[in-house]
Amino acid sequence: MSNSSSDVIVVGAGVVGAACAYYAARTGLSVTVVDRGPVAGGTTGAGEGNLLVSDKEPGPELELALLSTRLWHELARELPAGIEYEAKGGLVVASDAHAMAALRKFAAAQAEAGVTTEEIPADRLHEAEPHLAPGLGGGFRYPQDAQVQPALAAAHLLRASGARVRTGEEVAAVLTGANGEVRGVRTTAGELHAPFVVNAAGTWGGEVARLAGGRLPVLPRRGFVLVTEPLPRVVRHKVYAADYVADVASGSAALQTSAVVEGTPAGPVLIGASRERVGFDRTLSVEVLRRLAAQATALFPVLAGVRAMRTYAGFRPYLPDHLPAIGPDPRVPGLLHACGHEGAGIGLAPATGLAVARQLTGGEPPLDLGPFHPGRFAAAA
């Protein structure tokens, strides 16, 4: 039976948990990270590594994303090059003039909120992406969009944090004291003691909250990614059709697909994105893969003759209002949540980690955390 103490226990060794550990350790706290699986074994390992501002409308999530964009830029200088940080920018394209008018309005609102945008007329799209299909209505370039290799980013954040990392240990209980305050966790390997527990368990965040006597209505939202054979750099930016933004904001449980295409430093092209709420069903969906391939080749006809080498599925931790839960649980003293980021967790991880670290130490929040407070779900309990 193991029995060890630290200042804070982070449940979840994905990129959000890793960022929480990193920034907490920088304040001088001792940190233990525990995960039922390996590092980045959940949503993080199934992600594309998106660091996006382009898909977010003005509001709290965009503010969180803009802060994270700056922090990722700093981390890219501090962490090894192996995280594959690439500030390649995003390109959102419109199918016709009508869609372009809507995209222009959306981009103008983003620009007022601090996003850098650049309109690309239809006749100049091929300067930005030579292999794009003809006949599109134009697009907008987003220079702040970037990418990392998510599993490596999580691993390097954990290593840089100096945290004790315990993988393969599932949390079976959250230990509490006489007044309901957190005392640590019990895992399959024993007890770990700390006055603070951070719930960064991704799609399992609702279960961790329940173990502690709290409540978070986290649901899994499945997505597939196609991976092509290695290619020369045929796709320069992260490129997606404007309807992707609507899919991200939708709460529908039904299947939604919209083309997101990007090259990688290693050569393969990644093709997404799909969304559907089917629980934790990992069954391969031929229909989803067919749609993704068709939409990707409609954007980039050059991909029609390229082999898809593999596909993988992941589960985004979805909350009903599409905002993550960041901050103290209103029912359980010492329990903080950092989950529910849906498909944006990799991009939003640094700002989340910094916010949690400030809350752990009584520091000034880096931005208004009110919209992310976990207590917003208490009334629905």
Side-chain angles (χ1 to χ4, degrees):
M1 178 71 74
S2 162
N3 192 325
S4 62
S5 298
S6 55
D7 294 321
V8 57
I9 295 167
V10 177
V11 181
V15 71
V16 172
C20 290
Y22 177 83
Y23 286 103
R26 285 182 60 170
T27 71
L29 297 176
S30 60
V31 183
T32 297
V33 178
V34 60
D35 197 293
R36 61 192 293 171
V39 171
T43 301
T44 295
E48 295 178 66
N50 295 338
L51 314 179
L52 301 184
V53 298
S54 58
D55 63 342
K56 295 170 181 62
E57 63 184 19
E61 189 182 26
L62 178 58
E63 293 174 15
L64 197 67
L66 287 168
L67 172 57
S68 262
T69 294
R70 297 192 292 272
L71 293 174
W72 269 121
H73 190 69
E74 295 174 5
L75 289 170
R77 295 195 297 268
E78 298 170 11
L79 299 177
I83 70 170
E84 296 183 10
Y85 176 82
E86 189 179 9
K88 60 186 175 184
L91 180 65
V92 184
V93 298
S95 57
D96 53 30
H98 177 75
M100 186 61 184
L103 180 57
R104 187 178 294 115
K105 182 178 179 180
F106 181 76
Q110 289 178 305
E112 290 184 7
V115 177
T116 303
T117 68
E118 178 191 354
E119 183 169 348
I120 310 292
D123 60 2
R124 288 184 48 223
L125 277 177
H126 283 80
E127 297 175 18
E129 287 288 347
H131 297 285
L132 267 176
L136 295 169
F140 272 83
R141 192 200 318 261
Y142 289 83
Q144 290 158 298
D145 283 358
Q147 184 178 12
V148 293
Q149 208 293 341
L152 291 173
H156 283 298
L157 277 168
L158 284 174
R159 181 175 296 172
S161 75
R164 288 172 286 184
V165 180
R166 303 171 67 109
T167 55
E169 295 187 28
E170 183 172 356
V171 172
V174 175
L175 306 175
T176 55
N179 297 315
E181 75 281 7
V182 160
R183 292 195 303 110
V185 300
R186 181 183 300 114
T187 78
T188 48
E191 290 188 356
L192 304 171
H193 293 159
F196 294 102
V197 170
V198 176
N199 173 18
T203 50
W204 297 99
E207 176 63 14
V208 172
R210 186 192 65 78
L211 288 174
R215 179 185 180 274
L216 276 184
V218 181
L219 294 172
R221 205 175 183 194
R222 186 177 71 182
F224 286 93
V225 175
L226 275 170
V227 184
T228 75
E229 62 185 311
L231 300 171
R233 203 57 181 263
V234 297
V235 183
R236 299 176 178 178
H237 302 78
K238 179 182 293 292
V239 183
Y240 61 85
D243 55 359
Y244 171 77
V245 176
D247 283 357
V248 169
S250 170
S252 172
L255 171 64
Q256 296 168 312
T257 61
S258 48
V260 180
V261 185
E262 62 187 310
T264 64
V269 172
L270 305 180
I271 299 170
S274 67
R275 283 172 163 76
E276 55 186 331
R277 294 215 309 269
V278 292
F280 286 100
D281 182 3
R282 287 189 173 273
T283 304
L284 181 68
S285 172
V286 175
E287 172 61 21
V288 171
L289 302 183
R290 184 182 294 116
R291 286 197 197 183
L292 291 177
Q295 291 171 342
T297 54
L299 272 182
F300 288 94
V302 68
L303 296 177
V306 171
R307 289 179 298 172
M309 302 300 291
R310 65 185 180 95
T311 184
Y312 57 88
F315 298 99
R316 303 175 181 91
Y318 164 87
L319 281 168
D321 61 2
H322 299 282
L323 292 179
I326 304 172
D329 189 285
R331 300 179 179 181
V332 187
L335 175 66
L336 288 84
H337 297 291
C339 59
H341 297 75
E342 201 169 335
I346 296 162
L348 301 179
T352 300
L354 179 61
V356 167
R358 296 274 179 87
Q359 291 172 320
L360 287 168
T361 57
E364 184 72 21
L367 76 169
D368 178 13
L369 296 174
F372 309 106
H373 196 282
R376 69 189 192 272
F377 299 109

